[in-house]
């Protein structure tokens, strides 16, 4: 299957679903295993080049600590390599310094977890750069909060940054778009001073993790105007995301003219998420992918947040079908190994909640005007 005849490459490594934060922790790697199962039972794998960690290792010959240290510090990766739940009390100072606290507990096989998540995004960057595919998907990635020497918000290594660094070896300009409900702070920070990567995050702002992503944060030095932040209130619905996404992306495409796009598709922006407070339907979330596809620029789709187990596989499976242009039925396939997660409806698309949209048209318009004004400063 790995002959790259098709246009979409899909990464999933079976090991990923076996990692476990803790029973009480909201981040469940199992959601990606359930997604993979659903993608398979919808029959979508026959249309894609399906790759795993072993394939990426042989294809690019090195997803090891050297890849991780392209962005992360040696001290930080050295700790990730050796630390385990059993020996962590020997490393008390480093645990505190590198923020291995409740949000980012020391996982069993942490280094393997990081390699597995990163292989997909760096592998995706390689197949895109080699022009083997024009869309590459890694739902195990999108861990956008990790910093150079700090774990943050369930993220240990930043596969988005590492994937983009790989893309920069081939491409002049990379656009990173982030529709997770949280601000893509780690990616923004990594590229805040450069005009070769534009980061654009839509997120809940004010009294919300990680607290960054003010509309006036626009990049610095050469990177001034190359960071875009769209702060939002609770209740964001499908009409509103389309109202803001289109003009902002149009202006970025017109003025920045990216060679390639990475989309972080965190599903915690969906209605009913355990940690989120937006009100998007799966179709509404998917309109962002449909819109980006129109520009005929290669796209890397990575995962991210998403804490309601019944939502995440539905959304990412639907978005895999959008990437492929292969429509799928609303009935969840009977044979799905994880069918219990999809009852009682057993439908792909679920109704949204009746929560109030707290983003008024005026508020959204004002933000659009300010963002488009900043983007005018970039010479096409
Ligand atoms: N919101 C939220 C939230 N919930 C938790 C949490 C809950 C139970 C646990 F056992 C462990 C953690 N942490 C948070 C947030 C982090 C959200 C990360 C989102 C990640 C992403 O979707 O963007 C990408 C994958 N953390 C905080 O709010 C920090 C605290 C301030 C409060 C929670 N406690 C546990 C730590 C400190
Ligand atoms: Ca975001
Ligand atoms: Zn999130």
């Amino acid at each position: 299957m790995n002959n790259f005849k098709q246009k979409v490459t899909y990464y999933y490594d079976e090991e990923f679903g076996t990692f476990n934060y803790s029973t009480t922790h909201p981040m469940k790697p199992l959601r990606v295993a359930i997604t993979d199962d659903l993608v398979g039972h919808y029959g979508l794998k026959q249309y894609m080049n399906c790759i795993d960690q072993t394939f990426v290792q042989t294809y690019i010959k090195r997803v090891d600590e050297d890849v991780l240290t392209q962005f992360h510090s040696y001290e930080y990766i050295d700790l990730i390599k050796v630390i385990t739940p059993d020996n962590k009390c020997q490393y008390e100072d480093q645990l505190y310094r590198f923020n291995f606290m409740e949000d980012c507990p020391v996982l069993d096989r942490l280094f393997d977890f990081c390699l597995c998540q990163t292989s997909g995004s760096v592998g995706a960057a390689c197949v895109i750069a080699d022009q083997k595919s024009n869309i590459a998907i890694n739902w195990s990635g999108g861990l956008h909060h990790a910093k150079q020497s700090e774990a943050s918000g369930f993220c240990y290594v930043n596969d988005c940054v590492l994937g983009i660094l790989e893309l920069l070896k081939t491409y002049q300009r990379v656009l990173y778009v982030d529709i997770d409900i949280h601000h893509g702070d780690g990616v923004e920070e990594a590229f805040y001073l450069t005009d070769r990567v534009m980061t654009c995050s839509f997120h809940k702002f004010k009294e919300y993790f990680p607290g960054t992503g003010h509309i006036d944060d626009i990049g610095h030095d050469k990177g001034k105007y190359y960071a875009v932040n769209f702060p939002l209130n609770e209740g964001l619905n499908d009409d509103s995301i389309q109202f803001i996404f289109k003009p902002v992306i149009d202006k970025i495409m017109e003025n920045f003219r990216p060679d390639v796009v990475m989309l972080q598709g965190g599903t915690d922006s969906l209605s009913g998420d355990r940690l989120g407070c937006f009100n998007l339907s799966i179709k509404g979330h998917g309109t962002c992918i449909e819109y980006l596809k129109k520009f005929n620029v290669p796209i890397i789709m990575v995962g991210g947040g998403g804490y309601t187990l019944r939502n995440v596989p539905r959304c990412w499976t639907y978005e895999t079908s959008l990437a492929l242009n292969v429509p799928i039925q609303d009935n969840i396939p009977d044979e799905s190994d994880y069918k219990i997660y999809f009852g009682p409806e057993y439908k792909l698309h679920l109704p949204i909640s009746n929560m109030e949209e707290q983003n008024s048209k005026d508020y959204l318009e004002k933000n659009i005007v300010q963002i488009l004004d900043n983007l005018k400063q970039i010479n096409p």
Side-chain angles (χ1 to χ4, degrees):
M1 197 50 163
N2 296 325
N3 54 6
F4 295 113
K5 278 194 181 135
Q6 284 109 14
K7 289 180 175 172
V8 178
T9 290
Y10 168 87
Y11 172 93
Y12 180 68
D13 192 286
E14 297 271 310
E15 193 186 0
F16 195 77
T18 69
F19 294 103
N20 189 14
Y21 281 63
S22 79
T23 44
T24 49
H25 199 288
M27 178 55 106
K28 310 282 181 204
L30 178 70
R31 70 210 172 116
V32 192
I34 303 176
T35 303
D36 180 70
D37 178 73
L38 199 58
V39 165
H41 281 108
Y42 265 112
L44 294 174
K45 288 192 180 178
Q46 63 184 303
Y47 304 110
M48 309 189 278
N49 300 295
C50 296
I51 62 170
D52 62 8
Q53 205 181 159
T54 312
F55 177 80
V56 175
Q57 283 287 358
T58 45
Y59 183 57
I60 62 173
K61 291 184 192 63
R62 39 149 206 96
V63 177
D64 53 17
E65 60 181 291
D66 291 352
V67 169
L68 304 182
T69 53
Q70 299 295 301
F71 173 56
H72 296 285
S73 69
Y74 285 95
E75 267 181 301
Y76 179 61
I77 297 302
D78 281 347
L79 180 68
I80 288 183
K81 267 166 58 189
V82 296
I83 201 156
T84 70
D86 292 335
N87 71 15
K88 66 179 181 187
C89 47
Q90 296 167 34
Y91 298 97
E92 217 173 295
D93 289 355
Q94 282 122 302
L95 286 182
Y96 185 75
R97 182 168 150 220
F98 296 128
N99 196 29
F100 288 92
M101 310 303 273
E102 303 102 307
D103 273 355
C104 301
V106 176
L107 306 186
D108 189 24
R109 298 173 289 133
L110 178 60
F111 186 63
D112 291 342
F113 175 77
C114 294
L115 286 183
C116 194
Q117 157 216 340
T118 302
S119 287
S121 300
V122 173
C126 291
V127 300
I128 294 283
D130 289 351
Q131 299 181 352
K132 306 285 188 198
S133 280
N134 46 24
I135 298 186
I137 301 174
N138 173 28
W139 298 129
S140 307
L143 301 186
H144 57 176
H145 297 304
K147 311 291 187 319
Q148 187 187 49
S149 294
E150 194 189 313
S152 172
F154 316 162
C155 310
Y156 305 88
V157 296
N158 201 316
D159 60 281
C160 308
V161 170
L162 294 166
I164 292 169
L165 289 174
E166 188 64 42
L167 292 170
L168 288 173
K169 293 178 185 168
T170 304
Y171 298 105
Q172 185 56 31
R173 288 180 302 278
V174 180
L175 170 64
Y176 171 80
V177 179
D178 186 319
I179 58 170
D180 188 289
I181 194 170
H182 298 98
H183 177 228
D185 59 345
V187 190
E188 177 182 282
E189 186 181 300
F191 300 111
Y192 209 61
L193 304 179
T194 179
D195 55 3
R196 290 186 62 199
V197 179
M198 177 172 282
T199 59
C200 173
S201 176
F202 300 84
H203 46 267
K204 162 87 170 86
F205 189 65
K206 279 187 194 153
E207 292 160 30
Y208 207 68
F209 184 88
T212 47
H214 193 284
I215 193 164
D216 291 335
D217 294 341
I218 55 171
H220 192 61
D221 282 351
K222 265 182 126 175
K224 190 171 178 185
Y225 305 117
Y226 292 84
V228 176
N229 283 299
F230 205 123
L232 293 156
N233 303 313
E234 282 181 32
L236 184 81
N237 65 25
D238 292 356
D239 288 345
S240 300
I241 187 87
Q242 284 175 57
F243 182 69
I244 62 179
F245 196 78
K246 292 179 179 175
V248 170
I249 296 298
D250 281 349
K251 191 51 86 188
I252 290 175
M253 289 295 183
E254 189 186 331
N255 287 12
F256 179 59
R257 293 178 293 111
D259 301 308
V260 57
V261 178
M262 179 182 281
L263 175 65
Q264 197 273 18
T267 58
D268 46 10
S269 43
L270 290 175
S271 182
D273 186 79
R274 176 173 159 194
L275 299 188
C277 55
F278 284 173
N279 199 22
L280 299 182
S281 72
I282 288 173
K283 283 186 181 158
H285 196 272
T287 55
C288 299
I289 289 166
E290 289 177 304
Y291 201 69
L292 284 171
K293 273 185 70 185
K294 288 195 175 92
F295 294 90
N296 284 322
V297 171
I299 304 176
I300 294 180
M301 290 158 58
V302 294
Y307 305 102
T308 297
L309 232 64
R310 45 195 264 104
N311 280 347
V312 184
R314 284 177 154 102
C315 186
W316 287 342
T317 299
Y318 173 66
E319 292 177 348
T320 305
S321 82
L322 292 180
L324 285 164
N325 279 335
V326 172
I328 51 175
Q329 65 186 36
D330 196 27
N331 289 330
I332 299 283
D334 274 337
E335 311 76 31
S336 169
D337 294 349
Y338 298 95
K339 202 146 186 213
I340 44 160
Y341 290 101
F342 302 112
E345 310 86 351
Y346 302 105
K347 301 283 180 198
L348 192 62
H349 297 283
L350 300 178
I352 56 162
S353 86
N354 61 359
M355 80 187 290
E356 190 192 336
E357 166 59 282
Q358 292 189 29
N359 297 282
S360 67
K361 205 127 196 216
D362 270 7
Y363 170 78
L364 296 175
E365 247 161 16
K366 218 171 122 244
N367 282 354
I368 294 171
V369 168
Q370 183 171 338
I371 288 170
L372 297 193
D373 215 45
N374 288 334
L375 288 169
K376 270 189 214 148
Q377 308 300 319
I378 294 172
N379 291 323

